[in-house]
Structure formats: structure tokens, C-alpha cells
Amino acid sequence: MELDAKIPEGPLEDKWSFYKAHARLVNPANRKKLPVIIVGTGLSGASAAASLAEQGYSVQSFCFQDSARRAHSVAAQGGVNAAKNYQNDGDSVYRMFYDTLKGGDFRAREANVYRLAECSLSLIDQAVAQGVPFAREYGGYLSNRSFGGVQVSRTFYARGQTGQQLLLGAYQSLMRQVELGKVKLYSRHEMLDLVVIDGKAKGIIARNLDTGAIERYAAEAVVIATGGFGKIYYLSTLAMGCNGSAIWRAHKRGALMACPSWTQIHPTCLPQAGDYQSKLTLMSESLRNDGRIWVPKLTDEKRAANDIPEEERDYYLERRYPSFGNLAPRDISSRAAKERIDAGFGVGTQHNAVYLDFSKAIKEQGLDKVKEKYGNLFSMYKKITADDAYEAPMKISPAAHFSMGGLWVDYELMTTIPGLFAVGEANFADHGANRLGANSLLQACVDGYFILPYTIANYLAGELKAEKVSVKHPQFEVAEREVTEQLERLMAIKGTKTADQFHKELGKLLYDKCGLSRSAAGLNEAILGIQKLHHEFYTQLIVPGTAGEINAELEKAGRVADYLEIAELMCHDALSREESCGAHFREEYQTADGEALRNDEKFCYVSAWEWTGTDAAPVLHPEPLVFEFIKLSVRSYT
């Protein structure tokens, strides 16, 4: 299989304009004849559904939540990037492009990343027009702050609720189209399989979570917008319902999976407090604008933070990365925190955290100014921990967060299955081996509002004369039967361990062996451990109830079954990449001072994997990364 990224010819800054000028169009009268399925109602899914429906396409929108506005985009806090240069501090589209490419350790396509930066300019205007209440300066201008991995202020924000406010804007646009009858919204429906007919995506099989009924839906194109699979680690910043099942079912139907081992560990989360937890809480990266990160210089320190004098504090990010300090990129900051914790300098009752201290900011700016910027985050911290971060430093720790990997897509956001598109975190496209903060909301919005409406039209224009398929096609019958058999198989095991127990074991194994750091020995151990757990899952799982009813345990079981397969592919991917880059840190490949050591000669590619069956090894199809406009360099933040 030879991968074609379909990158347009011409200068970097003209590629997207050239594509739009030459893409095929669909006559407005014909758009309603071309139904589109969109799975997921987060920022990428809701924006795509609203945009396509407004153009006149007939859209079917699916989410497993009881309301489209409960999608996990609501949880993003810190902001959304755009190269507006309102601060007049040297920002530009090119600088944002370079920061993003460098932040991803030069493991993303130039054309995709430049388009992301270019479209960021339009997104802010779009969001303001929707009523998103971005923070403003005294004079009324939109305010900006900085995020990790950059030296300018390009992040637009709505206190610590940016994801929620952007999602509400997209949700309002979506629900307007629902009210107009242009979008049919199916809440409490989970996609369980993709239907491929004559090599093209033509529909999905979904389970009605309220009745247990298996239902068929046909369309001329399918868009997957279901987010990432970071919840595979069990303890993560993601909600319990987040999963990787939609992209994985598509992968098993022929869509290649790209760079699955590139998963981000966020440096600014609340530390684990006990074995009873099923989730960790994200504290926005924006806090690192004013908070200083440190640990005591003494191991096993017993004194309270405020009792430790300044000269006995190690501001290790400022010490190791003076140019960026506390705003070093997430992968670097997380590894640095882990190194200090592992060396015995961790704080808190379990010695698994570091301090995030606002005393200097409060002294210099005043308490009211800090409250104005971060008040809801401080309130959330106090509600969860009972500690007042205005009086004493927060305790933070790294936690699993974002998936840079996902379904392989070309420049048009189409997978290797014609007619199947993946947008937002469900694809791998824009972030390389590490995502810079505030680029997640950006990519989700840009994919849905500004890219997919052009690229899906280019595909659908060729489907106008194609024979229309219905849910009565034999392939729908085959897919429905296979879905039903899998559900029955899970119900019939009658073991003694719940899906949550398996998920917890898998998460710990994966975090230890394929988390912040990896090694060949550890990854081989992980693969064997996952295979053993996989066998045990299908002999010892217990799912109470029946399939033909509301059954949350059955939902979990299906997702954990997929996680077990995704986890093994993650380890294969990490094992095959004999270098360190971004969030992928192989212990065998590091510099003398412990920094990531890339191997551009052998591994400057996107690793795209083909599913070959449960008992067969996956097949690698590398997509070489060609850098025409920037020069590969050592990624340094010192």
C-alpha cells in the first residue's frame, strides 16, 4: 500500500488557497441528495455537522451522550491559539507554523501544520461572531496569554472555560440546523461498526443505548469525530465515557492507524490520591503563565511548602530550560516532573506531585488580578482538594491526556477508506509527536468549520452518479450480524472480573511500560502482558444484564475489548520507532543530559499501520515526511 498525502503543489503559503480554488464543488440543489453521517458532537463533529447542514447537505449526527453539548470538548480549559499578533510581540502565521512543527519534534507534515496556523486567523472571528465570551483588555480588545513551547502570546481564552464556551458556540450552530430539519440528531447512540461497500464508506451500525437495539444508517460519506483514546490508561484527564472504539472499528475495516504510540502526558493535573479513583483532574496549562513549578531541594521533605525557604527550592524548569522556563512544552515538562519525583523529591502524601506556586504572581499583580484570570480553576482546586491555592502552592502531577496518533488521513482529512473522513483528535494530522497547548481546540474547530466543508465536497462531487445504497444492502446485514455476535460473545463469558478491573490493569501496565518513557525490554514485556490480559478478558469477563436493554457494563466491555487491541498496537509502534521524539521517549535514545534523541535518517516518517487480524502482527506502511520549507534541527528549549 502506497500512501498519497495529496499535498498540493506550490509555495507553502499558497497550498490551501490553491486547493480551494481547484477542488470540485457540489451544486446546492444536489447537496441534499448526498447524506453525510457524522459520529461525535464535540467541537470537530458539531462544527462539521453545522457547517455541512448550512451548506445544504443532509446530515445525520450521532453521540453516545444524552446531549450533544456533553461532548468532552467541554472539559478543555486554557485557550485556543491564533496568530493574530494582537500583542505586537512578533507573532505571525509562519512563526505559529514553526512553533507547532517544532513542538511536535518535526514529525508532522509541513502543509497540514501551515494550514492550521493560516486558518487560525479566521477561527477567532468566527467564534466572536457566535458570541464566545473571550477575555478582553480594559479597552475592549481581545486578550491573549502564552502557552507552553512558544515565546509569544497567541492564546485566546475565556477564563478557564474556553472549551466549554467554544462548544456552546458550535452546539448552538448545530441545534439551529437540527431545528431547521437539516440535521437529524441521534443522541444515546454508539457507533459499533463501519459499513464498507465496494471499498467505500457507506454507513454505520449503531446501538441505541436506551433500548439495546442495533440500528443501520446509510450515507454517501462518514465522518468520525470521536476524539482520542487517552482513556486507555484508565487514570487520565478524560471522562470515563471517552473511548477509541469508533476509530478502532474503522481501522479493522481497512483504515490505517497512524502513530498510535504518540500519546501525551499532561504536566498540570491533580495527583492521584488513592486506588479508588477512576479519573484525574486537569488543571489548565494556562496556570503555568503565572505559576512557578518547584520541588524541595531535600528528598523526603516533611515541611509545608510555605515553610521551605526560597534558597531550598528547586525551580527545575527554570533551571533546565531558561529560555522557556515554566512554559516548556508538555512532554518536556512532564518528563522533568517525573524525573524529580522518581529521584525522591516528590511532594504530597504520596510523594507523587510537584508544587505550582502563585505567591510571586499574587505579590506582583495583586490577588484580584490572579482571580480574574484563573478564579474558576482555583475554586475547582479547592473543591477537590480542600486546599486554598491562593495561600499555599497547588500540588500537580503528570497524567495521560491527549492522543497525537489516530486514523491516518491525507491532506483532505480522508482516511485510506474512500468516503471515510476523520477530524479533530480522531486523526493524527497536525501535532506530530507532541501537541502544543491550546492547539487542540484550534484543530477541532478548523477541521470542522474550514477544512472538511471543502474537502468532503471534493469527494462527494464524484459520488453524484454512483448508485445509492440503502440499509438493505447485504453488507449492512453482514456488519450487523458481526456486531451482534460480538455483543453476544461478551455477554456469554460469565466470568468473575468486570470490564473496569481489566481496564485498570491494562492502564497501569501501559503507563508503566508505554507511558512517559519506554524501552525495548519494557515494551516487549508489555506486549506479552497485554496478550495475556486479552486472553483472560475473553475467559474471565462478567457482564451483568442483557444486551437488549440499557447496559452500561456492556458498553464498557466493548470499549475495553478495543483498548486491549489498541494497546498492543501502541506498543508495536513504540517498539518499531528506535528514536526519541516528542512524547515518545525511548530510554535507549537520549542525549547525555537526558533529552530526546531523534533519528531523522531512519525515522522521519509517519508510521501508518494496517490491521491484519487478531492473531497476526500489524503491517507498517511508513509515509515519509519531506521538509521543503524548514530545516530539521535539534529541538531545544534552553
Side-chain angles (χ1 to χ4, degrees):
M1 184 184 298
E2 191 165 332
L3 297 176
D4 180 7
K6 300 179 186 174
I7 297 172
E9 298 292 333
L12 183 65
E13 62 273 16
D14 295 337
K15 288 182 183 294
W16 181 229
S17 297
F18 180 87
Y19 178 90
K20 290 188 290 184
H22 294 85
R24 292 176 295 178
L25 302 175
V26 178
N27 185 302
N30 286 330
R31 293 173 192 166
K32 59 179 174 290
K33 303 175 186 176
L34 297 166
V36 177
I37 286 172
I38 299 178
V39 186
T41 57
L43 267 176
S44 60
S47 59
S51 299
L52 293 177
E54 191 169 340
Q55 289 182 348
Y57 293 99
S58 175
V59 178
Q60 299 172 82
S61 176
F62 294 81
C63 67
F64 65 75
Q65 298 92 346
D66 55 359
S67 167
R69 64 181 289 181
R70 288 176 64 86
H72 200 61
S73 299
V74 76
Q77 299 166 333
V80 57
N81 286 334
K84 287 285 198 179
N85 195 31
Y86 285 169
Q87 305 300 314
N88 197 30
D89 59 357
D91 203 9
S92 65
V93 169
Y94 185 87
R95 189 177 293 274
M96 183 175 172
F97 151 74
Y98 187 81
D99 285 345
T100 300
L101 206 58
K102 176 185 175 183
D105 219 348
F106 303 98
R107 288 293 179 263
R109 296 188 196 120
E110 286 181 321
N112 286 71
V113 176
Y114 191 90
R115 178 175 63 183
L116 179 74
E118 180 183 354
C119 291
S120 73
L121 305 178
S122 301
L123 173 62
I124 302 305
D125 300 332
Q126 164 96 3
V128 169
Q130 288 179 328
V132 174
F134 287 125
R136 293 179 181 268
E137 304 290 355
Y138 179 77
Y141 293 104
L142 294 179
S143 184
N144 291 116
R145 56 192 179 201
S146 191
F147 259 57
V150 304
Q151 293 179 307
V152 297
S153 295
R154 68 164 65 105
T155 304
F156 295 77
Y157 62 98
R159 294 189 84 181
Q161 305 172 3
T162 316
Q164 179 180 0
Q165 298 303 327
L166 285 170
L167 183 62
L168 287 173
Y171 172 77
Q172 290 175 115
S173 299
L174 171 63
M175 296 311 292
R176 179 174 179 269
Q177 299 302 319
V178 171
E179 181 66 23
L180 292 171
K182 295 181 179 180
V183 175
K184 176 64 175 175
L185 180 61
Y186 296 90
S187 60
R188 296 284 295 152
H189 280 69
E190 182 172 24
M191 172 185 161
L192 295 185
D193 209 349
L194 176 74
V195 179
V196 179
I197 299 174
D198 296 329
K200 297 179 180 180
K202 291 295 182 180
I204 66 170
I205 304 296
R207 181 173 180 265
N208 184 324
L209 301 182
D210 287 334
T211 66
I214 305 301
E215 300 170 356
R216 309 175 184 181
Y217 298 92
E220 294 305 311
V222 176
V223 181
I224 295 183
T226 53
F229 51 91
K231 193 63 188 173
I232 195 169
Y233 290 100
Y234 189 74
L235 283 178
S236 80
T237 64
L238 304 179
M240 284 301 291
C242 295
N243 63 85
S245 288
I247 61 174
W248 190 249
R249 307 294 171 91
H251 171 62
K252 293 173 79 169
R253 289 295 182 189
L256 298 192
M257 191 83 164
C259 308
S261 67
W262 289 349
T263 50
Q264 184 173 78
I265 310 297
H266 197 292
T268 319
C269 306
L270 298 190
Q272 183 180 1
D275 291 338
Y276 55 84
Q277 284 180 264
S278 60
K279 182 186 184 303
L280 297 173
T281 301
L282 173 67
M283 301 303 294
S284 169
E285 181 176 317
S286 63
L287 294 169
R288 294 200 281 151
N289 273 278
D290 291 302
R292 300 178 72 198
I293 295 172
W294 61 275
V295 293
K297 288 185 177 179
L298 298 176
T299 59
D300 199 26
E301 176 65 74
K302 296 292 194 300
R303 289 174 293 179
N306 289 342
D307 294 334
I308 301 174
E310 190 72 15
E311 62 273 15
E312 295 182 32
R313 301 178 179 189
D314 178 13
Y315 295 91
Y316 58 88
L317 288 178
E318 297 173 29
R319 169 172 56 83
R320 293 180 61 178
Y321 309 102
S323 295
F324 287 76
N326 296 295
L327 285 173
R330 289 178 177 177
D331 58 324
I332 288 173
S333 300
S334 291
R335 282 199 298 273
K338 181 179 185 294
E339 186 274 328
R340 291 289 80 193
I341 291 169
D342 290 348
F345 298 97
V347 302
T349 55
Q350 298 197 27
H351 304 287
N352 61 346
V354 299
Y355 287 127
L356 180 60
D357 194 334
F358 288 86
S359 58
K360 183 179 180 182
I362 292 171
K363 182 179 179 181
E364 293 179 350
Q365 302 174 33
L367 183 62
D368 289 343
K369 187 65 176 178
V370 173
K371 283 185 175 181
E372 179 186 330
K373 290 190 282 187
Y374 311 113
N376 62 308
L377 295 170
F378 278 67
S379 298
M380 181 173 71
Y381 182 82
K382 186 171 184 179
K383 185 175 183 180
I384 293 171
T385 67
D387 293 333
D388 188 343
Y390 295 117
E391 300 291 334
M394 289 182 179
K395 299 181 188 73
I396 58 167
S397 183
H401 180 57
F402 187 89
S403 311
M404 280 77 68
L407 291 177
W408 184 92
V409 292
D410 58 23
Y411 189 75
E412 298 182 305
L413 306 183
M414 189 158 68
T415 70
T416 47
I417 300 176
L420 177 67
F421 295 78
V423 293
E425 195 180 350
N427 72 37
F428 87 98
D430 294 346
H431 307 298
N434 171 64
R435 177 176 66 79
L436 291 185
N439 270 353
S440 173
L441 294 178
L442 173 64
Q443 185 211 352
C445 291
V446 163
D447 282 1
Y449 286 127
F450 304 124
I451 299 176
L452 187 72
Y454 285 94
T455 62
I456 200 170
N458 186 57
Y459 170 77
L460 289 172
E463 295 301 297
L464 274 169
K465 296 180 181 179
E467 182 180 353
K468 300 297 180 286
V469 300
S470 76
V471 294
K472 296 181 179 179
H473 190 282
Q475 199 57 45
F476 276 90
E477 175 70 32
V478 171
E480 181 179 337
R481 183 172 64 250
E482 291 178 0
V483 162
T484 303
E485 288 173 353
Q486 170 66 358
L487 293 176
E488 290 174 348
R489 181 186 181 189
L490 295 173
M491 295 297 309
I493 297 171
K494 305 299 183 186
T496 58
K497 291 177 64 173
T498 65
D500 274 335
Q501 287 175 288
F502 282 104
H503 190 181
K504 200 170 185 178
E505 287 184 43
L506 174 66
K508 186 177 188 312
L509 174 64
L510 207 58
Y511 190 85
D512 290 344
K513 306 297 184 182
C514 192
L516 270 171
S517 63
R518 298 98 187 262
S519 68
L523 290 166
N524 280 311
E525 288 176 19
I527 291 171
L528 292 175
I530 293 165
Q531 291 172 345
K532 180 181 177 183
L533 202 59
H534 191 267
H535 173 75
E536 186 183 355
F537 178 84
Y538 279 102
T539 56
Q540 294 300 320
L541 174 72
I542 181 169
V543 179
T546 67
E549 61 180 356
I550 295 177
N551 194 334
E553 288 302 310
L554 181 58
E555 297 167 34
K556 290 180 189 176
R559 295 165 189 170
V560 173
D562 294 330
Y563 276 151
L564 286 162
E565 294 175 346
I566 296 172
E568 189 169 346
L569 182 61
M570 286 173 65
C571 293
H572 278 293
D573 184 49
L575 191 59
S576 72
R577 189 172 286 273
E578 296 177 340
E579 65 166 353
S580 290
C581 60
H584 170 64
F585 189 79
R586 281 285 295 271
E587 295 167 8
E588 303 94 328
Y589 307 101
Q590 57 182 299
T591 63
D593 53 356
E595 301 298 335
L597 187 61
R598 288 200 326 262
N599 184 337
D600 294 331
E601 184 179 340
K602 292 185 177 180
F603 298 102
C604 192
Y605 61 68
V606 173
S607 54
W609 296 91
E610 178 186 357
W611 172 261
T612 54
T614 304
D615 299 319
V619 175
L620 174 63
H621 300 277
E623 177 208 336
L625 289 169
V626 179
F627 292 92
E628 299 179 72
F629 304 97
I630 62 101
K631 186 177 181 180
L632 287 170
S633 62
V634 174
R635 181 179 180 237
S636 172
Y637 292 93
T638 57

